[in-house]
Amino acid sequence: MAPPLVDIGLNLAHDSFDHDRDHVVDAAVMAGVNHMVITGSTLASTRAAIELVRGAPQMFRATAGIHPHHAREFHAQDVPDLRRLLLAAEVGAAGECGLDYFRNFSPHEDQERVFRAQLELAVEVGKPVFLHQRDAHDAFLAIVRDYWPRLKGGVAHCFTGDARELDDYLALGLSIGITGWICDERRGQHLRDLVGRIPLDRLMLETDAPYLLPRDLEPKPKTRRNEPRYLPHILGTVAACRGEPAERIAAETTRNALAFFGFGA
């Protein structure tokens, strides 16, 4: 029997799931992924995520936030709407929020403005933060440090950084989310070397579906769409890299995620 797992980062409201969303969830449960956190990255996707949670509140939680790609679309008059969403019982964390200087779909000043606004709201509503950072480590860390003493906690979603970034996050107190990036022999080798340095009580697992399909899945799926049913594959890679039983990592990461996102609260 597969160990129970929590996928802490799943874009289940994505339109690629519109034709078979129930099947995707059923397949995940069959694979042992008993709880899932549905990512909100805009006001609209957050509302959709909350509606999905309402259909199965024992299984799902949502995050409520504005991804840095969409920061230019978020303005001061939108803050009350985001506050209302964050206060919903279905929402376990603020985000996905942070900085992305890799793609720069929004100007840096907009990204930093909206990131700070969301950290302020997270402090106000007393919920942890679900964080995104790419090619912006120093600016990101400086901003998070400003709010950290008042925050209820945070997780570095889809961590793909280097040893310095990991050390900085662990020193601050962040939890770390690991995706199928670790299964990529081209880009993820450094993660295989680093994952053993993450304290087990601060490790969580995620797919970021429909993105980041693990490259080493066998047999290869017919499409490039990632799904939460592949989370046990990521668990297996993490366990092998850490030299620890998969069952132990499953139990600890599940315990971490259930507490962090408020399942059962």
Side-chain angles (χ1 to χ4, degrees):
M1 184 176 178
L5 294 169
V6 181
D7 186 347
I8 70 157
L10 165 62
N11 299 281
L12 192 61
H14 193 272
D15 58 11
S16 66
F17 295 122
D18 284 351
H19 67 288
D20 65 346
R21 188 171 284 110
D22 289 344
H23 173 75
V24 167
V25 172
D26 289 344
V29 173
M30 287 292 293
V33 184
N34 293 349
H35 295 88
M36 293 162 249
V37 181
I38 306 170
T39 306
S41 56
T42 63
L43 292 176
S45 68
T46 295
R47 293 186 187 103
I50 289 172
E51 285 304 310
L52 289 170
V53 176
R54 287 173 178 161
Q58 300 307 311
M59 182 185 302
F60 295 134
R61 284 293 181 275
T63 71
I66 309 298
H67 191 287
H69 289 348
H70 301 285
R72 69 191 308 162
E73 306 158 16
F74 187 82
H75 305 288
Q77 60 265 34
D78 299 314
V79 170
D81 286 341
L82 182 55
R83 179 184 288 110
R84 281 190 289 272
L85 294 171
L86 279 165
L87 286 168
E90 296 83 2
V91 170
E96 178 178 358
C97 60
L99 303 176
D100 192 311
Y101 293 175
F102 177 72
R103 296 199 181 276
N104 286 315
F105 288 155
S106 289
H108 291 188
E109 56 269 27
D110 283 338
Q111 293 190 41
E112 294 178 14
R113 169 183 58 82
V114 174
F115 187 24
R116 287 184 178 277
Q118 291 180 87
L119 294 177
E120 291 280 4
L121 286 174
V123 170
E124 179 184 331
V125 303
K127 291 184 178 178
V129 284
F130 187 70
L131 299 164
H132 174 103
Q133 185 275 122
R134 195 168 184 193
D135 284 7
H137 175 69
D138 291 335
F140 171 88
L141 190 65
I143 291 172
V144 175
R145 278 176 173 158
D146 282 348
Y147 295 88
W148 186 253
R150 296 182 288 145
L151 287 167
K152 198 176 178 180
V155 59
H157 153 63
C158 188
F159 178 80
T160 60
D162 58 21
R164 181 176 77 95
E165 293 179 34
L166 180 61
D167 289 345
D168 285 344
Y169 293 168
L170 293 177
L172 185 63
L174 291 177
S175 295
I176 308 294
I178 296 294
T179 65
W181 194 283
I182 198 172
C183 304
D184 188 330
E185 79 285 356
R186 306 164 306 165
R187 302 184 296 178
Q189 183 59 50
H190 70 292
L191 281 184
R192 299 181 182 218
D193 299 331
L194 289 175
V195 71
R197 294 166 55 174
I198 303 171
L200 199 48
D201 64 354
R202 286 206 260 152
L203 177 64
M204 300 189 213
L205 303 177
E206 52 181 322
T207 60
D208 202 27
Y211 313 113
L212 299 183
L213 179 75
R215 272 178 53 85
D216 57 353
L217 278 174
E218 294 293 345
K220 298 286 186 187
K222 293 180 180 179
T223 74
R224 295 294 302 166
R225 186 184 72 173
N226 197 8
E227 295 184 25
R229 65 180 164 136
Y230 301 132
L231 193 65
H233 180 81
I234 297 170
L235 166 68
T237 301
V238 170
C241 293
R242 290 177 64 99
E244 296 173 340
E247 293 78 10
R248 181 183 180 215
I249 294 173
E252 293 298 320
T253 56
T254 292
R255 182 179 296 112
N256 298 340
L258 293 178
F260 185 93
F261 290 98
F263 284 94

